[in-house]
Amino acid sequence: MNTIKIGLFGFGTVGQGIYHVLKQAKNAHATIKRICVRDISKPRATDLPPSLLTDRQEDILDDPEINLIVEVIDNADAAYGIVTTALRRGIDVVSGNKAMLARHLPELIDMQRRYNAALLYDASSCGSIPVIRNLEEYYDNDLLLEVKGILNGSSNYILSCVFDHGETYGQALDHARRLGFAESDPTFDIGGWDALFKLIIITVHALGEYVAPERIFTYGIQNIHEADIRYAREKRMKIKLVAQVAKVSESAFTMFVMPEFVGPEKYIYSVDDEYNGVVIRGECYDRQFMFGKGAGSLPTASSILSDIMARRHNYRYEYKKMAYLDRPAYTTDVTLRIYARYGTTDIPSLLPFKKITEMYMSEGSNYVIGDILLSDLIAHRRLLDASDIFIANLSRFFSDRDISH
Ligand code: HSE
């Protein structure tokens, strides 16, 4: 591909960042030919020539000069329509739409092969941090044991505001929205869904396995309470929303998203505000840590630019690990040690703990610490939505192949 002519879908926070970043990128040899937006009459702050804008998808998809679609719209269903139409026509796509990718990756991988078109999406996971391409290329061996980290900037920003600056949860959420980190529906951020979608994409490139969202335990920070923060502070820990995929044996892996108590000895303890941090653990090399801005206009746009440049050099994901014969299988048959704070709901008798190690009861709130199967947490998932309940993981290793920390 010599000169890249881009059809851009979406001109929100990320779309405007791409417009800005591309104007400065001298070596990209890429220009935006058309931008498709939902509301063409909306006032826009940038110096955008009005002729670039259209509200008709066909103006981009039917334009024979456009050889790359960049899709950064909010709506996952509409994004799916745009991306599949483009791939079917053999047009390459760069996408940042984690919700769409996490739901449709197997089909999209198949379409890339069938129609000989490439789909790149490093921007979908962890903003400016190059997680996907690194997992795909560098970690293409059997040594990988775990990928774990803070994948959602908004919830991390909220937790930082609450822990470090004494703000209320509501004030912090409001700031995250105004700063452009949060999704248009912030329940995706605080409910753990955004981190889940990113984890699913990461797992495809880490282990060559796709697991559908509804099979994975996901629990967010919306029920966090002063009592939980007090408990964490007393133990000199922070609460972070952590997504993780980990091998639990030679033949099995597990994955889930939930709040976790994190001590100062962990890399992710120092990952604050809208930053993301990803720890990659493997045999032979122990741990590596990637840290950077995971949300926001320009950090995400920088990752989109990297994918645009990668297409200039004909880069595509090969999904090599998905073809390996010896791949681990997904399991939820693993035991976690959790903290569960509750009010009137009788958590100790409703949740099937294998063992309870600590219990505290008071007039204001109660908590229990105990061991429970991940499959039992999934089975009781709806119960955990009750507003008087908050659970968090007390981290432990699943695999005994590395016992160094
Ligand atoms: N809402 C997302 C976040 C944006 O807060 O991380 C980046 O994916």
Side-chain angles (χ1 to χ4, degrees), residues 98 124 151-155 181-183 189 194 198 276 294-296 300:
K98 52 250 161 163
S124 67
L151 311 185
N152 179 263
S154 302
S155 55
F181 307 146
E183 300 298 304
D189 296 298
D194 180 77
K198 292 166 180 168
N276 284 188
T300 312

Side-chain angles (χ1 to χ4, degrees), residues 212-223:
E214 55 279 5
R215 298 180 64 205
I216 303 166
F217 182 74
T218 306
Y219 191 80
I221 59 164
Q222 59 269 56
N223 287 357

Side-chain angles (χ1 to χ4, degrees), residues 281-282 285-287 397 399-405:
R281 188 169 67 90
Y285 53 81
D286 191 18
R287 279 174 187 70
F397 284 123
S399 168
D400 57 8
R401 288 190 289 183
D402 177 342
I403 51 162
S404 54
H405 288 271

Side-chain angles (χ1 to χ4, degrees), residues 22-222:
L22 267 175
K23 280 212 290 195
Q24 297 173 17
K26 303 275 178 288
N27 289 307
H29 302 286
T31 50
I32 296 178
K33 179 141 193 250
R34 218 71 203 274
I35 303 172
C36 185
V37 292
R38 206 173 22 203
D39 179 5
I40 206 163
S41 60
K42 190 168 149 186
R44 290 166 214 277
T46 48
D47 52 350
L48 193 69
S51 60
L52 275 187
L53 288 179
T54 177
D55 54 5
R56 291 162 31 95
Q57 295 190 2
E58 315 84 82
D59 287 346
I60 288 181
L61 291 167
D62 293 345
D63 183 338
E65 274 191 20
I66 288 177
N67 51 12
L68 185 71
I69 303 287
V70 175
E71 175 281 304
V72 286
I73 64 172
D74 208 27
N75 180 321
D77 293 336
Y80 173 75
I82 293 162
V83 172
T84 50
T85 305
L87 291 177
R88 254 188 227 108
R89 296 180 186 186
I91 309 170
D92 297 333
V93 182
V94 169
S95 171
N97 202 310
K98 52 250 161 163
M100 183 273 294
L101 291 160
R103 291 199 182 102
H104 299 288
L105 257 182
E107 184 194 357
L108 296 171
I109 292 168
D110 184 54
M111 289 181 83
Q112 290 177 71
R113 293 194 180 119
R114 203 147 22 111
Y115 300 106
N116 191 27
L119 170 63
L120 298 184
Y121 43 79
D122 230 289
S124 67
S125 304
C126 302
S128 63
I129 312 176
V131 178
I132 305 291
R133 237 181 289 157
N134 270 307
L135 286 170
E136 176 72 21
E137 305 300 336
Y138 180 82
Y139 296 93
D140 183 23
N141 54 41
D142 286 335
L143 304 179
L144 204 62
L145 293 174
E146 182 178 44
V147 182
K148 166 173 182 170
I150 295 168
L151 311 185
N152 179 263
S154 302
S155 55
N156 202 46
Y157 179 85
I158 292 167
L159 289 172
S160 292
C161 289
V162 171
F163 261 86
D164 302 332
H165 310 299
E167 285 186 32
T168 66
Y169 182 90
Q171 285 167 331
L173 173 59
D174 214 41
H175 284 160
R177 295 182 89 159
R178 271 193 277 126
L179 289 166
F181 307 146
E183 300 298 304
S184 50
D185 176 358
T187 20
F188 277 95
D189 296 298
I190 57 184
W193 305 109
D194 180 77
L196 169 73
F197 298 147
K198 292 166 180 168
L199 183 67
I200 290 170
I201 299 166
I202 281 172
T203 302
V204 165
H205 294 274
L207 300 180
E209 284 288 343
Y210 171 78
V211 184
E214 55 279 5
R215 298 180 64 205
I216 303 166
F217 182 74
T218 306
Y219 191 80
I221 59 164
Q222 59 269 56

